[in-house]
Amino acid sequence: MGCEQGSRCADGTLASYRDFLTLPNGACNDLVGCARSLSDGVDEMLQNQSWTWEPLDPMSRADIQLAPETCVGHLEQHGCGLVRGVLSAELCQRLQTFVDSHLEMVQNAVESENDTERRQSLLQEHFGTVRDRQHRWDLKLPLNSTVEEAVHQAVLALQPLLEGTVQAGGALVELSCLITDPGAPRQNVHVDTGGWKTACAPLLTTFIALQEISDAMGPTILFPGTHDDPYLQQWLSVLPGADRSPEQFGGGVHATCTAGSAVLMNSRLLHCGGANLQTESGGSRRRLFYMTWQKPGNTNHGSTYTMKDALVGRHRVQDFLSSPLACGDPSTEEDRIALEVLAKRKDDVQAMLEFAMCLRKEGDPGAVEWLRATGRKGHPLACMHLAEMYCLGELGLETNYVAADELRKFALGIFDHLADRSESKPSFQAFLENHAAIFRQDLLF
């Protein structure tokens, strides 16, 4: 399915991209103005562009072994790929049984807990922050014998693809199972990480179906090629709260597949979970066992980083090539891991800043995205450090004195707002919303 200059609406008419730059009611005025000012430029840039969503081209394990470079090239070109037979049917069934029982056990523990604080702690311990949670869970998995066997089998099957993208030293940063039941709504179209036009590499997620997935079960909807489209990503950057539907982007490709098949996805690719229909319409529980890998020295800010705290920073691709599991990195620094765990919860701005500065010291280009995210939350020092990096052209950033000056002024504005003791001043959140345009893509890039 292709689209030129716009996408087809439900009634078949072709809508202008300008229409999709409309923000929801209540969006801050600065952001609305930013969206409108960008619309002319986006329309012009997209006048001669045509997108064609190609179906997932299934690969076999033999294909990967015989033509690894071709398969890696396919993945890099489309931002996604489908590989059949990654897990055996028997292992899929065992893992499916474990996932169902583990989910039930966790749900019972949460429901029986009367203390609100303890209940919240249990939710954070066992679940990730998946979008559209109705009948949908992102269940963190322990690395028990069954899960370890599944990761080992998957890594062996996908070794050339993993080593050709995130490398043998790529870190395991997510280990979970996405579960949807009949009645789960379709998600809005989204990406898992940003970071376009920075030197930070994307993450690579491997979703493995633990049962056959039909259209009625709400398969993942993918939009091949959108991981590497700077115009589209700039457009999305000014629509953080938009109700984005697949039809707005050409419909996408539905990742229906057999049990044991794996969908590999670049974290910058547009995608969403489909709607799992009611049982009478063919819907049934869908379980996607998944792992996400990070290229060494490229710590993205984005993604939910759904993983048990005890596993953070411990394992690499190469560790799972042997069974039993090889020992983790002996050079692991416990204090750094503790900081990473705290920062990735994204609710402690000081921890986020300290982690960003740790990454900067290590020469990790992910520091840029972490500083941006911390600055958006209103930490003035994050803006100052980022301004300095724009002046120096550090970690892959192009020297940008305009962006540096705007960030510096924003930081000073934060200090002034905090020092203002008058009762008439706007709330801090309102202040941040009124200055959200400071982080718009056309300024920072």
Side-chain angles (χ1 to χ4, degrees), residues 212-420:
E212 182 176 356
I213 298 178
S214 66
D215 275 316
M217 295 167 66
T220 306
I221 304 172
L222 305 167
F223 299 84
T226 56
H227 66 300
D228 198 26
D229 189 327
Y231 302 143
L232 181 61
Q233 307 310 340
Q234 183 185 52
W235 180 37
L236 289 176
S237 74
V238 297
L239 296 170
D243 185 14
R244 299 189 289 262
S245 68
E247 290 73 26
Q248 288 177 298
F249 302 93
V253 179
H254 292 229
T256 55
C257 59
T258 56
S261 297
V263 172
L264 286 82
M265 186 188 76
N266 183 302
S267 62
R268 293 176 187 157
L269 190 79
L270 280 176
H271 67 284
C272 65
N276 196 330
L277 303 183
Q278 297 295 343
T279 305
E280 57 270 22
S281 299
S284 61
R285 174 165 285 188
R286 176 175 69 104
R287 310 162 190 82
L288 280 180
F289 168 58
Y290 75 93
M291 300 149 277
T292 297
W293 306 92
Q294 172 189 293
K295 190 174 182 179
N298 286 262
T299 310
N300 272 276
H301 165 263
S303 188
T304 58
Y305 289 110
T306 308
M307 180 185 243
K308 293 280 190 182
D309 289 351
L311 299 177
V312 173
R314 306 289 177 181
H315 301 295
R316 309 286 182 265
V317 169
Q318 59 203 14
D319 298 336
F320 292 96
L321 293 174
S322 61
S323 185
L325 178 66
C327 295
D329 187 352
S331 63
T332 296
E333 298 179 17
E334 298 300 327
D335 289 345
R336 188 194 183 285
I337 287 180
L339 178 60
E340 181 175 355
V341 168
L342 192 58
K344 285 181 175 178
R345 291 176 184 166
K346 302 178 183 177
D347 56 7
D348 184 330
V349 291
Q350 186 59 35
M352 291 174 65
L353 176 65
E354 291 176 12
F355 186 56
M357 297 314 300
C358 177
L359 296 177
R360 185 183 180 187
K361 183 177 180 181
E362 294 171 355
D364 187 325
V368 174
E369 286 302 306
W370 278 93
L371 285 172
R372 284 178 183 161
T374 310
R376 287 189 187 98
K377 286 180 175 287
H379 201 307
L381 292 183
C383 299
M384 288 296 198
H385 283 294
L386 193 54
E388 180 183 42
M389 293 173 70
Y390 272 112
C391 287
L392 298 175
E394 189 178 331
L395 294 182
L397 288 176
E398 293 183 6
T399 300
N400 188 334
Y401 296 115
V402 173
D405 190 49
E406 290 295 320
L407 287 163
R408 182 185 63 80
K409 290 177 181 176
F410 179 48
L412 293 175
I414 294 174
F415 283 123
D416 289 342
H417 183 277
L418 295 175
D420 184 355

Side-chain angles (χ1 to χ4, degrees), residues 71-90:
C71 294
V72 169
H74 174 91
L75 181 57
E76 291 179 341
Q77 176 186 353
H78 298 292
C80 57
L82 173 65
V83 184
R84 291 177 175 156
V86 171
L87 292 187
S88 68
E90 184 272 336

Side-chain angles (χ1 to χ4, degrees), residues 158-223:
L158 301 171
Q159 182 179 355
L161 288 178
L162 295 174
E163 292 183 347
T165 51
V166 296
Q167 304 175 4
L172 179 67
V173 294
E174 291 190 309
L175 184 65
S176 187
C177 188
L178 280 171
I179 306 161
T180 60
D181 277 347
R186 174 190 55 75
Q187 294 178 316
N188 290 338
V189 176
H190 63 278
V191 296
D192 287 344
T193 66
W196 297 273
K197 295 190 178 182
T198 72
C200 192
L203 305 175
L204 181 69
T205 298
T206 301
F207 298 105
I208 303 178
L210 298 185
Q211 70 294 294
E212 182 176 356
I213 298 178
S214 66
D215 275 316
M217 295 167 66
T220 306
I221 304 172
L222 305 167
F223 299 84

Side-chain angles (χ1 to χ4, degrees), residues 4 29 36 77 91 93 112 164 175 205 218 225 324 392 415 443:
E4 297 181 358
N29 293 330
R36 289 174 178 167
Q77 176 186 353
L91 183 51
Q93 184 58 58
S112 63
L175 184 65
T205 298
L392 298 175
F415 283 123
L443 171 63

